[in-house]
Amino acid sequence: ANIRKQFKNVTMLTAYQKKKYVWKMLYIYVLGYEVDFGHMEALNLITQPGYSEKTVGYLACVLLLSETNEFLRLIINSTKNDLQSQNEEIQALALACIANVGGREFAETLASDVERILLSNHSHATAKKKA
């Protein structure tokens, strides 16, 4: 109940607090309880520029969302932007999310970007391995 209350005042939260509450939400989920809130906050963390925010956001999406969830449509653009990033760690996060969540819509929309990483001479070796 406290986490829901904090998420209602999301504009008042710092980046650290957002991450902290999403981590707590994930802990509750891993313990086996149903988590039906906080999905939007996890998606907002993916759009942040920092690596630590993206890590928490992508992990939450991988654990909480299935390929039939409507929130997946919202993260496609962020994932596409992260695949085009020059930072190989951020590319790796996006590739891991695609691989673990999957789904037809993800595959259709992001296949060309994954293929570009595979075939590009400028892509890092670790990004190519993950692709």
Side-chain angles (χ1 to χ4, degrees):
N2 185 30
I3 298 172
R4 281 183 210 238
K5 182 177 155 188
Q6 293 296 329
F7 282 154
K8 287 183 181 177
N9 298 325
V10 74
T11 56
M12 305 285 281
L13 296 176
T14 66
Y16 171 78
Q17 289 172 321
K18 289 177 189 176
K19 289 187 297 186
K20 179 176 81 170
Y21 291 121
V22 171
W23 276 122
K24 287 182 178 187
M25 183 181 69
L26 289 176
Y27 181 69
I28 292 168
Y29 176 78
V30 170
L31 287 176
Y33 296 102
E34 184 70 28
V35 176
D36 59 353
F37 64 95
H39 296 93
M40 200 63 197
E41 286 72 19
L43 298 177
N44 287 335
L45 285 174
I46 291 175
T47 62
Q48 299 299 313
Y51 177 77
S52 62
E53 288 89 359
K54 286 185 181 292
T55 302
V56 177
Y58 275 123
L59 181 63
C61 288
V62 165
L63 288 176
L64 299 175
L65 303 179
S66 66
E67 63 183 67
T68 59
N69 198 306
E70 71 234 15
F71 284 107
L72 285 181
R73 291 190 183 119
L74 300 175
I75 67 169
I76 287 178
N77 284 336
S78 297
T79 306
K80 190 175 190 85
N81 291 339
D82 289 342
L83 286 175
Q84 296 170 356
S85 171
Q86 296 300 316
N87 187 336
E88 66 183 292
E89 287 88 10
I90 291 176
Q91 281 182 342
L93 288 173
L95 289 167
C97 179
I98 294 167
N100 288 304
V101 173
R104 181 182 190 133
E105 191 170 357
F106 252 39
E108 290 172 351
T109 308
L110 301 172
S112 61
D113 293 309
V114 174
E115 184 179 357
R116 182 190 51 79
I117 291 172
L118 270 173
L119 301 176
S120 174
N121 292 331
H122 303 296
S123 295
H124 298 283
T126 54
K128 285 185 177 184
K129 285 180 186 177
K130 291 198 180 279

